[in-house]
Amino acid sequence: MNVLKTLAIAAAGLVLSFGAAQAEGQKTAKDISYSFEWPFGHFDREQLQRGYKVYKEVCSNCHAMHQMSFRNLSQPGGPEFSDEQVKALAAGYQVQDGPNETGDMFERPGLPSDRFPSPFPNEQASRAANGGAYPPDLSLITKSRPGWYGTINQLINGIGGPQYVYSVLTGYTPDDQLTEELKKEQPEGKYHNPYFANGHWIGMPPPLSDGAVTFDDGTPSTVDQMARDVSAFLAWTAEPKMEQRKRTGFMVMIFLGILASLLYLVKKKVWADVH
Amino acid sequence: MSGHASNYQPKSAFAKWFHERLPIMDMVQGQVLDFPTPKNLNYFWTFGGILAVMLLIQIVTGVVLAMHYTPHVDMAFDSVEHIMRDVNSGWMLRYMHANGASMFFIAVYIHMFRGMYYGSYKAPREVLWMIGVLIYLIMMATAFMGYVLPWGQMSFWGAKVITNLFSAIPFFGDSITTLLWGGYSVDNPTLNRFFSLHYLLPFVLAGLVILHIWALHVVGNNNPTGVSVKSAQDTIPFSPYYTVKDAFAIVVFLMFYAAWVFFSPNYLGHAINYQEANPLVTPAHIVPEWYYLPFYAILRAIPDKLGGVIAMFGSILILFALPWLDTSKVRSGNYRPIFKQFFWLFVINCIILGFAGSGAPDNYFLSHEAANPDKWALTYKLVGQICTAYYFLHFLVILPLLGLLETPKPLPASISDAVLARSNPSTAHVPAE
């Protein structure tokens, strides 16, 4: 009986360490660490501000981020730009509004309440401009793309979404290092990236090169640094309430923990005379 | 309700006036406060209360979520993100609701396995058990439709796969699928009717839960010995004993639940569901939520579509017949040494079935590697087939035979005897019956 029970637990444990499907041939993301991991982790404001700059100057040329508004950039728990900075930054965009009283659409400078404008009006236009490939919306990218798999692995380390973004950005095989075999199968206008979730030929040319962005805080803008910062920024856009969630979680756990201890003592006392 | 008379005495003139018109306080006194409950219930018996709390949490969070959600294919996904980003504490409501479904199923599975181990389905509790199975079936339907509402990739493709199953039914199959879809594919009408039904069914569940509790109060609780209550000695009033014990267990369970909600809220879901539904792009692997995986494995185990559908529904419907398939008169597994081992085998089998349902059918079991089709290999599909066979074998052969062949251990004379024997072993071994 006990043997069987142990077996049941062992079987469950063993089986739990394996997990769900992984796309064929996709390389497991590089396991870099971020400040916002684990229950106590929180975002690094400066990193998010740098990441925003990378997004704005590089990614946003092709990728939309339509779940985010400019005002989010000054909210607590994010990059926490000042309200003035956000106003100025929104005003740097032209946004379509209308119709006005004569029935025409018009352009006006952006307001903090506006969503980030998308670079293309629709998917077709986006594909037409990008050699048939469709740059996905980045709002939720770190929550929708796992960097690694495994039931236990994901439970402990998360799905590795930010690491996936980092690995794709830094994981290109330079064209001159491709093997002859790979060169033969290389589709027109595609680049080799073993971390890419959809079959290691990616339509996006390597987007980052050293010095592509000048950081305001003087951090050297190496490809590695920019990839870390922008993937952290995209972790925030996917889960902007993460810090609030963890903070609330601690209060809830402490409250429930005290309540449970008190109830246990009451239970002990009430049951003392039963037998 | 049961033959237990309440001692309710209205204390004030108003209470007396009210009591003569609606004796609800009498029922509270008799059925909630004084209700005689076996004194030896262990913590597995607290899951009934836990489930009631989970249903309540799901209804409350769900009603508020519905205030902010838009059931339209073009807006559903964004309205969920609006809840996550712009609604005050919306992220908490949604994570509570999504993880609440998983917690609900964890609790219901423990509750059901407890009933199976202690023989809680046996006479006179057959109707109580069958109402429970009905609750479970409706829970599954409710959770399935709820998962469709965020309109992510897995929502859409899960809906497509599951609703397609009904087309296997002879003669009426296509009409049923068309009715479920509200058209000829999963589209806006499907989302609308799923939203409507997802809002309706929890209240049906609440009604069935009342019947479940009513049936429980007619026949009384089973208990770990499985021996019926014989005298007032064997019982204690529900309050304060079980109110406080249940309350403690509920709070501990809420801590487990909160750990998911606040520290790992997306683990139990699918990453791909954060991608909006796209009818033109099929995901590489379509898998249901974890709590359906054993049934998904059973579905895939049968090579024929209709056969798979029959096996899948049969695997749940067979639970209705469980009270008559188990031929043993002894209720509790504690006194059935052989049954006990088969019970744990059955539990293991269900867990393995769950894993068999999680991978690509033609991959090696627990691996990402495709199996060589020309050679014999232990694939997800094969493991699913073996475990499916064992699942039905357990109900259709093992349980009926065990009752006839097994010699149970001597039962204690009463619940009190069993409790005394445990706290004072020298008075043990008082066999009866």
Side-chain angles (χ1 to χ4, degrees):
Chain A
M1 166 51 225
N2 276 328
V3 176
L4 270 176
K5 220 188 220 166
T6 323
L7 260 177
I9 295 164
L14 175 79
V15 132
L16 277 170
S17 57
F18 294 88
Q22 181 160 10
E24 208 157 324
Q26 186 196 343
K27 222 164 145 183
T28 300
K30 302 174 192 173
D31 187 10
I32 63 162
S33 57
Y34 291 95
S35 64
F36 50 82
E37 289 170 352
W38 302 100
F40 288 99
H42 49 80
F43 292 116
D44 173 348
R45 313 272 162 247
E46 276 152 22
Q47 182 171 45
L48 294 193
Q49 295 195 0
R50 288 196 301 270
Y52 169 69
K53 192 152 195 197
V54 179
Y55 166 75
K56 189 188 169 201
E57 295 184 9
V58 183
C59 317
S60 73
N61 290 320
C62 303
H63 290 273
M65 193 169 65
H66 83 286
Q67 306 287 359
M68 298 300 288
S69 304
F70 295 114
R71 65 183 164 81
N72 297 131
L73 293 171
S74 62
Q75 278 171 355
E80 298 187 2
F81 285 109
S82 69
D83 289 342
E84 286 67 41
Q85 280 174 303
V86 170
K87 257 184 218 156
L89 182 155
Y93 286 85
Q94 285 295 307
V95 177
Q96 195 184 49
D97 201 349
N100 62 14
E101 59 272 30
T102 58
D104 298 317
M105 303 303 279
F106 60 92
E107 299 259 314
R108 59 157 174 80
L111 295 169
S113 56
D114 286 322
R115 302 260 176 140
F116 275 90
S118 301
F120 301 101
N122 51 52
E123 182 178 336
Q124 287 77 357
S126 174
R127 282 188 191 278
N130 289 288
Y134 179 45
D137 187 283
L138 293 183
S139 321
L140 285 160
I141 200 82
T142 57
K143 262 157 90 175
S144 61
R145 299 281 196 284
W148 45 62
Y149 294 83
T151 309
I152 293 288
N153 188 19
Q154 288 198 344
L155 179 61
I156 296 168
N157 300 313
I159 66 163
Q163 284 89 345
Y164 169 80
V165 171
Y166 170 84
S167 303
V168 167
L169 290 177
T170 58
Y172 283 87
T173 316
D175 270 351
D176 52 11
Q177 284 175 29
L178 283 178
T179 61
E180 284 307 313
E181 267 169 64
L182 282 174
K183 267 188 187 147
K184 254 183 250 157
E185 65 169 89
Q186 181 167 27
E188 180 69 27
K190 301 264 178 187
Y191 304 84
H192 186 256
N193 193 323
Y195 297 97
F196 184 47
N198 196 11
H200 66 243
W201 291 108
I202 188 169
M204 171 171 72
L208 299 174
S209 54
D210 287 338
V213 168
T214 311
F215 288 131
D216 303 333
D217 61 1
T219 308
S221 51
T222 58
V223 168
D224 180 79
Q225 185 66 41
M226 288 184 287
R228 275 171 199 270
D229 293 347
V230 79
S231 55
F233 174 74
L234 293 174
W236 169 72
T237 63
E239 188 82 358
K241 298 297 168 74
M242 187 207 74
E243 293 192 3
Q244 193 187 347
R245 163 161 68 75
K246 288 179 181 173
R247 228 180 9 252
T248 314
F250 281 111
M251 291 189 287
V252 168
M253 290 311 252
I254 290 167
F255 172 82
L256 289 177
I258 294 173
L259 184 59
S261 325
L262 291 176
L263 281 170
Y264 181 71
L265 295 175
V266 176
K267 191 249 158 193
K268 272 276 220 222
K269 196 169 159 81
V270 167
W271 278 75
D273 60 340
V274 179
H275 282 305
Chain B
M1 291 203 179
S2 77
H4 175 71
S6 155
N7 305 317
Y8 177 68
Q9 292 294 336
K11 289 203 180 69
S12 66
F14 172 74
K16 190 164 180 296
W17 178 88
F18 194 83
H19 176 66
E20 281 158 4
R21 283 155 185 82
L22 181 67
I24 193 165
M25 290 314 292
D26 183 70
M27 196 179 86
V28 169
Q29 177 94 38
Q31 299 299 322
V32 182
L33 301 177
D34 293 348
F35 188 69
T37 312
K39 60 186 185 182
N40 59 338
L41 300 188
N42 59 32
Y43 274 103
F44 285 110
W45 261 265
T46 61
F47 281 87
I50 289 170
L51 284 162
V53 169
M54 286 316 302
L55 177 62
L56 192 71
I57 292 178
Q58 290 301 83
I59 289 179
V60 171
T61 53
V63 165
V64 184
L65 285 171
M67 296 173 188
H68 302 282
Y69 169 77
T70 314
H72 187 283
V73 288
D74 293 332
M75 290 179 266
F77 187 84
D78 284 351
S79 76
V80 170
E81 278 309 308
H82 159 71
I83 291 170
M84 293 295 290
R85 290 155 194 270
D86 302 329
V87 174
N88 287 334
S89 299
W91 58 270
M92 181 154 61
L93 283 171
R94 172 163 175 265
Y95 280 154
M96 279 176 75
H97 198 73
N99 285 283
S102 282
M103 297 303 119
F104 207 158
F105 274 96
I106 290 178
V108 94
Y109 284 136
I110 296 176
H111 192 64
M112 290 168 77
F113 279 127
R114 188 271 287 157
M116 288 183 181
Y117 180 80
Y118 292 109
S120 299
Y121 47 80
K122 291 184 192 180
R125 296 186 182 81
E126 302 96 321
V127 173
L128 172 59
W129 168 262
M130 290 165 77
I131 296 171
V133 176
L134 195 59
I135 290 176
Y136 173 57
L137 258 177
I138 295 185
M139 245 180 94
M140 291 180 88
T142 311
F144 161 65
M145 290 192 266
Y147 195 67
V148 176
L149 302 185
W151 211 242
Q153 271 290 64
M154 206 59 102
S155 299
F156 178 88
W157 289 97
K160 191 136 190 153
V161 169
I162 301 299
T163 50
N164 242 321
L165 295 179
F166 291 89
S167 69
I169 299 168
F171 307 116
F172 312 107
D174 286 337
S175 320
I176 293 176
T177 340
T178 310
L179 186 68
L180 281 173
W181 286 344
Y184 299 101
S185 65
V186 177
D187 207 333
N188 203 43
T190 325
L191 180 60
N192 274 261
R193 58 192 61 201
F194 278 19
F195 178 56
S196 168
L197 292 173
H198 184 71
Y199 205 115
L200 168 71
L201 290 180
F203 297 98
V204 175
L205 278 180
L208 285 170
V209 167
I210 290 172
L211 286 184
H212 194 60
I213 296 173
W214 185 0
L216 169 72
H217 279 231
V218 172
V219 293
N221 284 86
N222 185 26
N223 67 83
T225 65
V227 176
S228 297
V229 167
K230 296 207 169 112
S231 67
Q233 276 258 300
D234 293 343
T235 65
I236 44 180
F238 189 80
S239 182
Y241 297 101
Y242 284 108
T243 37
V244 69
K245 188 170 180 172
D246 279 1
F248 169 63
I250 288 166
V251 173
V252 171
F253 190 80
L254 287 181
M255 287 181 79
F256 173 69
Y257 174 24
W260 290 106
V261 170
F262 294 104
F263 301 114
S264 201
N266 294 308
Y267 176 74
L268 295 165
H270 298 113
I272 199 175
N273 226 30
Y274 277 108
Q275 220 172 306
E276 192 169 358
N278 184 349
L280 301 177
V281 179
T282 317
H285 298 274
I286 303 172
V287 232
E289 290 289 85
W290 70 266
Y291 35 83
Y292 299 129
L293 288 175
F295 302 104
Y296 194 54
I298 292 175
L299 171 77
R300 296 195 304 189
I302 316 287
D304 174 63
K305 187 174 177 188
L306 179 60
V309 172
I310 291 172
M312 183 177 75
F313 283 107
S315 66
I316 302 166
L317 296 179
I318 202 169
L319 295 173
F320 281 114
L322 179 57
W324 297 277
L325 289 171
D326 185 346
T327 49
S328 171
K329 290 277 170 284
V330 176
R331 290 196 192 103
S332 170
N334 282 350
Y335 301 96
R336 299 183 61 192
I338 305 175
F339 164 82
K340 206 193 267 188
Q341 312 218 7
F342 279 108
F343 169 81
W344 286 107
L345 265 181
F346 178 72
V347 175
I348 297 171
N349 189 62
C350 288
I351 294 171
I352 299 178
L353 262 180
F355 279 90
S358 72
D362 294 325
N363 280 5
Y364 289 110
F365 189 53
L366 301 183
S367 135
H368 306 304
E369 239 178 286
N372 181 349
D374 302 328
K375 268 206 256 165
W376 185 91
L378 193 67
T379 57
Y380 278 97
K381 188 172 173 187
L382 183 62
V383 171
Q385 287 170 333
I386 296 167
C387 292
T388 300
Y390 185 78
Y391 182 96
F392 286 103
L393 195 75
H394 178 82
F395 287 112
L396 295 175
V397 179
I398 295 173
L399 283 184
L401 282 183
L402 263 187
L404 305 175
L405 301 175
E406 180 185 35
T407 317
K409 288 202 238 169
L411 292 172
S414 71
I415 294 172
S416 290
D417 272 16
V419 172
L420 284 175
R422 243 196 3 201
S423 54
N424 184 4
S426 63
T427 60
H429 312 298
V430 209
E433 293 182 274

